[in-house]
Amino acid sequence: MTHVTSSETHSFETIVKPPLEKWAIPPNMANYDAMCDDFSWKQIENQLKLPRTNGVNQASVCIDGHPPEVMKRNALIWIRKDSTTGQFKDETYTFEDLKRETNRFANVLVQAGIEKGDRVFTFLERIPENYISIFGALKTGAVVGPLFSAFGPEAIKDRLQDSQARLVVTSPALKPRLDSIRGDLPHLEKVIVVDRDNTQTDSLQAHELDYAAAMAEASDTFEVVHTDPDDYSIMHYTSGTTGKPKGVVLCHGALVSQSATAQYVLDLKPDRDIYWCSADPGWVTGTSYGMFGPWSLGATQIVYEGGFKAEDWYRLMQDYKVTVWYTAPTAIRMLMKSGEALVEQYDLSSLRHLCSVGEPLNPEAIIWGQDVFGKIFHDTWWQTETGCMHICNYPCLDVKPGSMGKPVPGITAGILDEDWNPVPVGEEGHLALRPNAPSVLKTYWHRDEVYQSKFKNGWYITGDRAKVDDEGYFWFIGRDDDVINTAGHLVGPFEVESALIEHPAVAEAAVIGKPDKERMEIIKAFVSLKTGFTESDELIQEIRTFVRHRLAAHAYPREIAVLPDLPKTRSGKIMRRLLKARELGLPEGDTSTLEE
Ligand code: PRX
């Protein structure tokens, strides 16, 4: 790759891709423009040769539907670090193994009374049983909600109450959080406990089942429930500016665009790649690209149980010879911080293609990839609501560092003004999409009016602001609402404010995203205290821990400022934007509605 001057006025030079004949392994999409010109979803569906068993049941297509030689291939290499030796240990599952295990689990669920359309949630660590439960549940036609294992009781309660989940699969380590809110979950009938280390089997309650015991008795054949493309499959909760998180409902037919993008953006070559998606199954990246996209192609992927540690990540990629890696800007920035001397200790020559998602990817991070891995990171933009990648950088297309890239073939993106009409090239506006990809959300669970409100003039409004340049590259500007993006996790200010005011000392709370070099934003809270409480370091620390335990480790305010009163409109609404402007030293804007 060579660097040349960009035709745009951006400070980083365009990275020009070599001509096709110079590629040792040519990209799956050879020519972006040609693919855009000659595109239809139907054609992609036929080309991908997705097996059409049982309608388009996502689990059946991804796990059961491969030719015999692929069924013998490893689908999942699960890796955990031995706590005493520090060595990696792995467990491998072929597609054939996963077929049997997911069939068994589907039988366990049917035995437990689960029917098509019921909501089944997993609240598990990154362990094989999480994947088996999700795919087993999909085979029964259930709507599956994977919960992030770091969620605290309040976050779990919001999601399980709203979805009226009938069954949850969890582990002994996480179950106490579920037990603490069980009284608030009248729809929850059964809990399946995955007890890998045999710690709890004899202490199960009447509504609880032991995973291993139930699986041992279940048949490994199962008649997969027929699901049509529009039938609901996966639910992930996402945060908005107001109200509790909303359940984004995706459908089985989403697989077509998840599979196409795994092929053309991740550039997976299933017969030779070892793929690693570092996202947790609790987030949409962890399902769309940690399960569906790669497995629909028959690719082998590794799943690492542990969290982020630069040494471990490098060693993992070296030892398992990872070729395609999908990660997030915060992780890349943390790796950058750990220094080049560290990365030089590892042989990472297997890496062939690198992608990133979740937050803007700094040009510096792209260039760093080039320096240390000899490969650049390819930024991809999408949302829980879009179900698959929508605006991306591709192996075959020149990269303008700092740009999200161009719309995936088949997808139309636009920049709109306040009346929802396209703005001229180069002008900033609302980032919008024609909602024609098969993976775009079907609804927000039981909030159809909110879902409908996202569509204007035939466009789906993303809630982001962006601009497009004269060569069709999109540039992210920021969120259009108060939702905070901290290390790639969206956090709604309302959720954090609700948790804050449950603390006995807090009278009022307002929460903003404060720019941060490493995590993009951190959560900053402004609170006023109830009479009788005085500000102290201990109290601040106590409030911080209180929210952290109720919501999640990523969703608590790292900074808390105590104010005598919070600025409000005359109608009593706290003015977050004003607090943010003051915090950042920006103009305060229109304060005419400010309370006297
Ligand atoms: O604001 C954008 C940001 O993350 C939002 C979507 O978050 P979520 O639904 O949690 O899904 C994240 C993973 C698909 C977007 O509205 N975002 C995501 N990718 C990028 C991004 N912002 C800038 N650049 C990106 N590549």
Side-chain angles (χ1 to χ4, degrees), residues 337-389:
K337 213 168 126 187
S338 72
E340 292 185 15
L342 180 69
V343 63
E344 278 162 13
Q345 294 170 25
Y346 299 88
D347 174 5
L348 298 169
S349 56
S350 58
L351 284 172
R352 174 175 79 72
H353 185 46
L354 318 178
C355 294
S356 160
V357 64
E359 313 148 55
L361 181 63
N362 333 44
E364 293 79 0
I366 298 182
I367 308 300
W368 177 78
Q370 172 90 304
D371 290 344
V372 299
F373 305 119
K375 302 279 175 298
I376 59 165
F377 283 98
H378 290 71
D379 189 17
T380 67
W381 177 97
W382 56 294
Q383 304 181 303
T384 308
E385 284 88 341
T386 67
C388 81
M389 300 168 179

Short mmCIF file of all heavy atoms in Angstrom, two decimals, residues 337-389:
data_model
loop_
_atom_site.label_atom_id
_atom_site.label_comp_id
_atom_site.label_asym_id
_atom_site.label_seq_id
_atom_site.Cartn_x
_atom_site.Cartn_y
_atom_site.Cartn_z
N LYS A 337 -1.46 2.07 23.58
CA LYS A 337 -0.89 2.58 24.83
C LYS A 337 0.11 1.60 25.45
O LYS A 337 1.05 1.99 26.11
CB LYS A 337 -2.04 2.83 25.82
CG LYS A 337 -1.81 3.98 26.75
CD LYS A 337 -3.09 4.33 27.46
CE LYS A 337 -2.88 4.32 28.95
NZ LYS A 337 -4.14 4.49 29.68
N SER A 338 -0.13 0.30 25.19
CA SER A 338 0.76 -0.70 25.80
C SER A 338 2.13 -0.74 25.11
O SER A 338 3.03 -1.46 25.56
CB SER A 338 0.10 -2.08 25.78
OG SER A 338 0.08 -2.57 24.46
N GLY A 339 2.27 -0.02 24.02
CA GLY A 339 3.60 0.20 23.44
C GLY A 339 4.02 -0.80 22.37
O GLY A 339 3.53 -1.93 22.33
N GLU A 340 4.94 -0.35 21.54
CA GLU A 340 5.38 -1.19 20.43
C GLU A 340 6.35 -2.28 20.87
O GLU A 340 6.42 -3.33 20.25
CB GLU A 340 5.98 -0.33 19.31
CG GLU A 340 4.87 0.49 18.69
CD GLU A 340 5.26 1.31 17.50
OE1 GLU A 340 6.34 1.07 16.93
OE2 GLU A 340 4.47 2.20 17.15
N ALA A 341 7.08 -2.03 21.97
CA ALA A 341 8.03 -3.04 22.44
C ALA A 341 7.29 -4.33 22.77
O ALA A 341 7.79 -5.43 22.56
CB ALA A 341 8.77 -2.53 23.66
N LEU A 342 6.07 -4.20 23.28
CA LEU A 342 5.29 -5.38 23.65
C LEU A 342 4.87 -6.15 22.41
O LEU A 342 5.09 -7.35 22.29
CB LEU A 342 4.05 -4.97 24.48
CG LEU A 342 3.18 -6.12 24.91
CD1 LEU A 342 3.89 -6.99 25.95
CD2 LEU A 342 1.85 -5.62 25.48
N VAL A 343 4.29 -5.45 21.46
CA VAL A 343 3.76 -6.14 20.28
C VAL A 343 4.89 -6.82 19.50
O VAL A 343 4.71 -7.89 18.92
CB VAL A 343 2.89 -5.20 19.41
CG1 VAL A 343 3.66 -4.05 18.85
CG2 VAL A 343 2.19 -5.94 18.29
N GLU A 344 6.07 -6.24 19.57
CA GLU A 344 7.21 -6.82 18.83
C GLU A 344 7.64 -8.19 19.38
O GLU A 344 8.34 -8.94 18.72
CB GLU A 344 8.39 -5.85 18.85
CG GLU A 344 8.24 -4.78 17.77
CD GLU A 344 9.12 -3.57 18.01
OE1 GLU A 344 10.03 -3.64 18.87
OE2 GLU A 344 8.88 -2.54 17.32
N GLN A 345 7.19 -8.52 20.60
CA GLN A 345 7.56 -9.83 21.17
C GLN A 345 6.75 -10.97 20.57
O GLN A 345 6.96 -12.13 20.89
CB GLN A 345 7.35 -9.82 22.68
CG GLN A 345 8.26 -8.88 23.41
CD GLN A 345 7.83 -8.73 24.86
OE1 GLN A 345 7.18 -9.60 25.43
NE2 GLN A 345 8.17 -7.60 25.46
N TYR A 346 5.74 -10.66 19.77
CA TYR A 346 4.84 -11.71 19.27
C TYR A 346 4.92 -11.82 17.76
O TYR A 346 5.16 -10.82 17.07
CB TYR A 346 3.40 -11.40 19.70
CG TYR A 346 3.26 -11.36 21.20
CD1 TYR A 346 3.49 -10.17 21.90
CD2 TYR A 346 2.96 -12.52 21.92
CE1 TYR A 346 3.41 -10.13 23.28
CE2 TYR A 346 2.88 -12.48 23.30
CZ TYR A 346 3.10 -11.29 23.98
OH TYR A 346 3.03 -11.26 25.34
N ASP A 347 4.69 -13.05 17.29
CA ASP A 347 4.65 -13.27 15.85
C ASP A 347 3.20 -13.17 15.40
O ASP A 347 2.41 -14.10 15.61
CB ASP A 347 5.23 -14.65 15.52
CG ASP A 347 5.09 -14.97 14.04
OD1 ASP A 347 4.64 -14.09 13.26
OD2 ASP A 347 5.42 -16.11 13.65
N LEU A 348 2.85 -12.05 14.82
CA LEU A 348 1.46 -11.83 14.41
C LEU A 348 1.34 -11.82 12.89
O LEU A 348 0.45 -11.20 12.32
CB LEU A 348 0.94 -10.53 15.03
CG LEU A 348 0.94 -10.56 16.56
CD1 LEU A 348 0.67 -9.19 17.14
CD2 LEU A 348 -0.08 -11.56 17.09
N SER A 349 2.26 -12.56 12.27
CA SER A 349 2.30 -12.53 10.80
C SER A 349 1.11 -13.24 10.16
O SER A 349 0.89 -13.13 8.97
CB SER A 349 3.61 -13.15 10.31
OG SER A 349 3.72 -14.46 10.85
N SER A 350 0.34 -14.01 10.97
CA SER A 350 -0.84 -14.67 10.38
C SER A 350 -1.93 -13.67 10.04
O SER A 350 -2.78 -13.93 9.19
CB SER A 350 -1.39 -15.73 11.36
OG SER A 350 -1.72 -15.09 12.58
N LEU A 351 -1.93 -12.50 10.71
CA LEU A 351 -3.02 -11.53 10.50
C LEU A 351 -3.08 -11.08 9.05
O LEU A 351 -2.07 -10.67 8.47
CB LEU A 351 -2.82 -10.30 11.40
CG LEU A 351 -3.17 -10.51 12.88
CD1 LEU A 351 -2.76 -9.29 13.69
CD2 LEU A 351 -4.66 -10.81 13.07
N ARG A 352 -4.29 -11.14 8.48
CA ARG A 352 -4.46 -10.82 7.06
C ARG A 352 -5.39 -9.63 6.86
O ARG A 352 -5.22 -8.82 5.96
CB ARG A 352 -5.04 -12.07 6.40
CG ARG A 352 -5.43 -11.93 4.96
CD ARG A 352 -5.87 -13.27 4.39
NE ARG A 352 -7.23 -13.64 4.75
CZ ARG A 352 -8.33 -13.07 4.26
NH1 ARG A 352 -8.24 -12.06 3.43
NH2 ARG A 352 -9.54 -13.50 4.64
N HIS A 353 -6.41 -9.50 7.75
CA HIS A 353 -7.39 -8.43 7.54
C HIS A 353 -7.92 -7.98 8.91
O HIS A 353 -8.29 -8.82 9.73
CB HIS A 353 -8.53 -8.98 6.67
CG HIS A 353 -9.53 -7.93 6.29
ND1 HIS A 353 -9.17 -6.68 5.82
CD2 HIS A 353 -10.89 -7.95 6.29
CE1 HIS A 353 -10.27 -5.98 5.57
NE2 HIS A 353 -11.32 -6.72 5.85
N LEU A 354 -7.93 -6.65 9.12
CA LEU A 354 -8.32 -6.11 10.42
C LEU A 354 -9.50 -5.16 10.26
O LEU A 354 -9.49 -4.30 9.38
CB LEU A 354 -7.17 -5.32 11.05
CG LEU A 354 -5.76 -5.89 10.96
CD1 LEU A 354 -4.76 -4.93 11.60
CD2 LEU A 354 -5.69 -7.24 11.66
N CYS A 355 -10.51 -5.31 11.12
CA CYS A 355 -11.68 -4.42 11.05
C CYS A 355 -12.03 -3.91 12.44
O CYS A 355 -11.67 -4.51 13.45
CB CYS A 355 -12.90 -5.17 10.49
SG CYS A 355 -12.69 -5.67 8.78
N SER A 356 -12.79 -2.81 12.46
CA SER A 356 -13.12 -2.16 13.73
C SER A 356 -14.54 -1.63 13.68
O SER A 356 -15.05 -1.30 12.60
CB SER A 356 -12.12 -1.02 13.93
OG SER A 356 -12.60 -0.08 14.84
N VAL A 357 -15.18 -1.54 14.82
CA VAL A 357 -16.56 -1.03 14.89
C VAL A 357 -16.86 -0.45 16.26
O VAL A 357 -16.23 -0.81 17.25
CB VAL A 357 -17.60 -2.15 14.63
CG1 VAL A 357 -17.57 -3.24 15.69
CG2 VAL A 357 -19.01 -1.58 14.51
N GLY A 358 -17.84 0.42 16.31
CA GLY A 358 -18.42 0.84 17.58
C GLY A 358 -18.24 2.31 17.91
O GLY A 358 -19.06 2.89 18.61
N GLU A 359 -17.16 2.88 17.45
CA GLU A 359 -16.86 4.29 17.72
C GLU A 359 -16.04 4.78 16.53
O GLU A 359 -15.52 3.96 15.77
CB GLU A 359 -15.96 4.45 18.95
CG GLU A 359 -16.33 3.69 20.17
CD GLU A 359 -15.05 3.33 20.91
OE1 GLU A 359 -14.26 4.23 21.23
OE2 GLU A 359 -14.84 2.13 21.16
N PRO A 360 -15.87 6.10 16.44
CA PRO A 360 -15.00 6.59 15.37
C PRO A 360 -13.60 6.01 15.55
O PRO A 360 -13.10 5.91 16.67
CB PRO A 360 -14.98 8.10 15.59
CG PRO A 360 -16.08 8.39 16.53
CD PRO A 360 -16.40 7.15 17.29
N LEU A 361 -13.01 5.61 14.45
CA LEU A 361 -11.65 5.05 14.50
C LEU A 361 -10.68 6.16 14.12
O LEU A 361 -10.71 6.67 12.99
CB LEU A 361 -11.57 3.89 13.50
CG LEU A 361 -10.23 3.16 13.43
CD1 LEU A 361 -9.91 2.49 14.77
CD2 LEU A 361 -10.27 2.11 12.33
N ASN A 362 -9.82 6.52 15.07
CA ASN A 362 -8.91 7.63 14.80
C ASN A 362 -7.95 7.27 13.68
O ASN A 362 -7.45 6.16 13.65
CB ASN A 362 -7.99 7.98 15.99
CG ASN A 362 -8.60 7.62 17.30
OD1 ASN A 362 -9.16 6.55 17.47
ND2 ASN A 362 -8.48 8.52 18.23
N PRO A 363 -7.65 8.24 12.80
CA PRO A 363 -6.66 7.98 11.75
C PRO A 363 -5.35 7.43 12.32
O PRO A 363 -4.73 6.56 11.74
CB PRO A 363 -6.46 9.35 11.11
CG PRO A 363 -7.70 10.11 11.43
CD PRO A 363 -8.22 9.58 12.73
N GLU A 364 -4.97 7.92 13.50
CA GLU A 364 -3.70 7.47 14.11
C GLU A 364 -3.72 5.96 14.34
O GLU A 364 -2.72 5.27 14.20
CB GLU A 364 -3.46 8.15 15.47
CG GLU A 364 -3.20 9.63 15.41
CD GLU A 364 -4.47 10.47 15.25
OE1 GLU A 364 -5.58 9.88 15.20
OE2 GLU A 364 -4.35 11.69 15.16
N ALA A 365 -4.91 5.44 14.71
CA ALA A 365 -5.02 4.01 15.00
C ALA A 365 -4.88 3.19 13.71
O ALA A 365 -4.31 2.10 13.71
CB ALA A 365 -6.37 3.71 15.66
N ILE A 366 -5.37 3.76 12.62
CA ILE A 366 -5.27 3.06 11.33
C ILE A 366 -3.79 2.96 10.92
O ILE A 366 -3.29 1.91 10.55
CB ILE A 366 -6.08 3.82 10.25
CG1 ILE A 366 -7.55 3.83 10.67
CG2 ILE A 366 -5.87 3.21 8.87
CD1 ILE A 366 -8.48 4.50 9.69
N ILE A 367 -3.12 4.08 11.07
CA ILE A 367 -1.71 4.13 10.69
C ILE A 367 -0.87 3.24 11.62
O ILE A 367 0.05 2.55 11.19
CB ILE A 367 -1.17 5.60 10.75
CG1 ILE A 367 -2.08 6.54 9.94
CG2 ILE A 367 0.28 5.69 10.30
CD1 ILE A 367 -2.23 6.22 8.48
N TRP A 368 -1.25 3.22 12.91
CA TRP A 368 -0.53 2.37 13.87
C TRP A 368 -0.62 0.90 13.45
O TRP A 368 0.36 0.16 13.50
CB TRP A 368 -1.14 2.57 15.27
CG TRP A 368 -0.53 1.70 16.32
CD1 TRP A 368 0.67 1.89 16.95
CD2 TRP A 368 -1.08 0.50 16.88
NE1 TRP A 368 0.89 0.88 17.87
CE2 TRP A 368 -0.18 0.02 17.84
CE3 TRP A 368 -2.27 -0.21 16.67
CZ2 TRP A 368 -0.41 -1.14 18.58
CZ3 TRP A 368 -2.51 -1.36 17.40
CH2 TRP A 368 -1.58 -1.82 18.35
N GLY A 369 -1.81 0.48 13.02
CA GLY A 369 -2.00 -0.89 12.54
C GLY A 369 -1.01 -1.19 11.42
O GLY A 369 -0.36 -2.25 11.39
N GLN A 370 -0.90 -0.23 10.51
CA GLN A 370 0.03 -0.38 9.38
C GLN A 370 1.46 -0.57 9.89
O GLN A 370 2.19 -1.43 9.43
CB GLN A 370 -0.08 0.88 8.52
CG GLN A 370 0.92 1.00 7.42
CD GLN A 370 0.39 0.35 6.15
OE1 GLN A 370 0.03 -0.83 6.15
NE2 GLN A 370 0.32 1.11 5.10
N ASP A 371 1.84 0.23 10.91
CA ASP A 371 3.21 0.17 11.41
C ASP A 371 3.51 -1.13 12.14
O ASP A 371 4.56 -1.72 11.94
CB ASP A 371 3.48 1.34 12.38
CG ASP A 371 3.51 2.66 11.64
OD1 ASP A 371 3.64 2.62 10.39
OD2 ASP A 371 3.38 3.71 12.29
N VAL A 372 2.58 -1.59 13.01
CA VAL A 372 2.93 -2.74 13.85
C VAL A 372 2.50 -4.08 13.25
O VAL A 372 3.13 -5.10 13.53
CB VAL A 372 2.42 -2.62 15.30
CG1 VAL A 372 3.00 -1.41 15.98
CG2 VAL A 372 0.91 -2.60 15.37
N PHE A 373 1.42 -4.11 12.49
CA PHE A 373 0.97 -5.40 11.92
C PHE A 373 1.22 -5.46 10.41
O PHE A 373 0.98 -6.49 9.78
CB PHE A 373 -0.54 -5.61 12.13
CG PHE A 373 -0.98 -5.50 13.57
CD1 PHE A 373 -1.90 -4.54 13.96
CD2 PHE A 373 -0.50 -6.39 14.52
CE1 PHE A 373 -2.33 -4.45 15.27
CE2 PHE A 373 -0.93 -6.30 15.85
CZ PHE A 373 -1.84 -5.32 16.22
N GLY A 374 1.58 -4.32 9.83
CA GLY A 374 1.71 -4.28 8.37
C GLY A 374 0.34 -4.32 7.70
O GLY A 374 0.21 -4.59 6.51
N LYS A 375 -0.70 -4.06 8.47
CA LYS A 375 -2.09 -4.09 7.96
C LYS A 375 -2.82 -2.91 8.57
O LYS A 375 -2.60 -2.60 9.75
CB LYS A 375 -2.82 -5.36 8.43
CG LYS A 375 -2.18 -6.66 8.03
CD LYS A 375 -2.55 -7.01 6.60
CE LYS A 375 -1.85 -8.25 6.10
NZ LYS A 375 -0.41 -8.19 6.03
N ILE A 376 -3.71 -2.31 7.81
CA ILE A 376 -4.47 -1.21 8.40
C ILE A 376 -5.80 -1.73 8.95
O ILE A 376 -6.32 -2.75 8.49
CB ILE A 376 -4.76 -0.10 7.36
CG1 ILE A 376 -5.53 -0.65 6.15
CG2 ILE A 376 -3.48 0.59 6.94
CD1 ILE A 376 -6.14 0.44 5.31
N PHE A 377 -6.35 -1.02 9.92
CA PHE A 377 -7.70 -1.33 10.41
C PHE A 377 -8.72 -0.75 9.45
O PHE A 377 -8.58 0.40 9.02
CB PHE A 377 -7.92 -0.75 11.81
CG PHE A 377 -7.25 -1.54 12.88
CD1 PHE A 377 -6.02 -1.16 13.39
CD2 PHE A 377 -7.86 -2.69 13.38
CE1 PHE A 377 -5.41 -1.91 14.37
CE2 PHE A 377 -7.24 -3.44 14.37
CZ PHE A 377 -6.01 -3.05 14.86
N HIS A 378 -9.75 -1.53 9.16
CA HIS A 378 -10.83 -1.06 8.29
C HIS A 378 -12.03 -0.74 9.17
O HIS A 378 -12.59 -1.64 9.82
CB HIS A 378 -11.20 -2.16 7.28
CG HIS A 378 -10.14 -2.36 6.24
ND1 HIS A 378 -8.92 -2.95 6.53
CD2 HIS A 378 -10.09 -2.03 4.93
CE1 HIS A 378 -8.18 -2.97 5.43
NE2 HIS A 378 -8.87 -2.42 4.45
N ASP A 379 -12.42 0.51 9.19
CA ASP A 379 -13.54 0.93 10.04
C ASP A 379 -14.86 0.49 9.41
O ASP A 379 -15.02 0.51 8.18
CB ASP A 379 -13.51 2.46 10.15
CG ASP A 379 -14.49 2.98 11.18
OD1 ASP A 379 -14.95 2.19 12.03
OD2 ASP A 379 -14.79 4.19 11.16
N THR A 380 -15.79 0.06 10.27
CA THR A 380 -17.15 -0.28 9.80
C THR A 380 -18.14 0.45 10.70
O THR A 380 -17.94 0.52 11.91
CB THR A 380 -17.42 -1.79 9.88
OG1 THR A 380 -17.46 -2.20 11.26
CG2 THR A 380 -16.37 -2.60 9.14
N TRP A 381 -19.16 1.01 10.10
CA TRP A 381 -20.19 1.71 10.87
C TRP A 381 -21.51 0.94 10.75
O TRP A 381 -21.92 0.57 9.66
CB TRP A 381 -20.41 3.14 10.34
CG TRP A 381 -21.52 3.85 11.07
CD1 TRP A 381 -21.38 4.72 12.11
CD2 TRP A 381 -22.93 3.74 10.85
NE1 TRP A 381 -22.62 5.14 12.56
CE2 TRP A 381 -23.59 4.54 11.80
CE3 TRP A 381 -23.70 3.00 9.95
CZ2 TRP A 381 -24.98 4.66 11.87
CZ3 TRP A 381 -25.10 3.10 10.02
CH2 TRP A 381 -25.71 3.93 10.98
N TRP A 382 -22.15 0.73 11.87
CA TRP A 382 -23.52 0.21 11.88
C TRP A 382 -24.08 0.36 13.27
O TRP A 382 -23.45 0.98 14.13
CB TRP A 382 -23.58 -1.22 11.35
CG TRP A 382 -22.72 -2.26 12.03
CD1 TRP A 382 -21.35 -2.31 12.03
CD2 TRP A 382 -23.16 -3.40 12.75
NE1 TRP A 382 -20.92 -3.41 12.72
CE2 TRP A 382 -22.01 -4.11 13.18
CE3 TRP A 382 -24.40 -3.92 13.09
CZ2 TRP A 382 -22.08 -5.29 13.92
CZ3 TRP A 382 -24.46 -5.10 13.82
CH2 TRP A 382 -23.32 -5.76 14.24
N GLN A 383 -25.27 -0.18 13.49
CA GLN A 383 -25.95 -0.03 14.78
C GLN A 383 -26.68 -1.33 15.11
O GLN A 383 -26.95 -2.14 14.22
CB GLN A 383 -27.05 1.02 14.68
CG GLN A 383 -26.65 2.37 14.22
CD GLN A 383 -27.83 3.32 14.21
OE1 GLN A 383 -28.83 3.06 13.55
NE2 GLN A 383 -27.71 4.42 14.92
N THR A 384 -27.07 -1.46 16.37
CA THR A 384 -27.92 -2.60 16.74
C THR A 384 -29.13 -2.64 15.80
O THR A 384 -29.50 -3.70 15.29
CB THR A 384 -28.41 -2.42 18.20
OG1 THR A 384 -27.27 -2.17 19.03
CG2 THR A 384 -29.12 -3.66 18.70
N GLU A 385 -29.71 -1.48 15.53
CA GLU A 385 -30.92 -1.41 14.71
C GLU A 385 -30.70 -1.85 13.27
O GLU A 385 -31.65 -2.30 12.62
CB GLU A 385 -31.47 0.03 14.68
CG GLU A 385 -32.19 0.46 15.94
CD GLU A 385 -31.26 1.06 16.99
OE1 GLU A 385 -30.03 0.82 16.91
OE2 GLU A 385 -31.76 1.76 17.89
N THR A 386 -29.50 -1.69 12.74
CA THR A 386 -29.29 -2.05 11.33
C THR A 386 -28.98 -3.54 11.18
O THR A 386 -29.04 -4.06 10.07
CB THR A 386 -28.16 -1.23 10.68
OG1 THR A 386 -26.93 -1.60 11.30
CG2 THR A 386 -28.38 0.27 10.82
N GLY A 387 -28.62 -4.20 12.26
CA GLY A 387 -28.42 -5.65 12.26
C GLY A 387 -27.19 -6.13 11.51
O GLY A 387 -26.72 -7.23 11.75
N CYS A 388 -26.69 -5.33 10.59
CA CYS A 388 -25.45 -5.69 9.87
C CYS A 388 -24.71 -4.41 9.54
O CYS A 388 -25.26 -3.31 9.62
CB CYS A 388 -25.75 -6.49 8.61
SG CYS A 388 -26.24 -5.51 7.19
N MET A 389 -23.46 -4.57 9.11
CA MET A 389 -22.63 -3.42 8.72
C MET A 389 -23.31 -2.64 7.60
O MET A 389 -23.88 -3.25 6.69
CB MET A 389 -21.30 -3.93 8.19
CG MET A 389 -20.51 -4.74 9.17
SD MET A 389 -19.16 -5.52 8.25
CE MET A 389 -18.33 -6.40 9.56
#
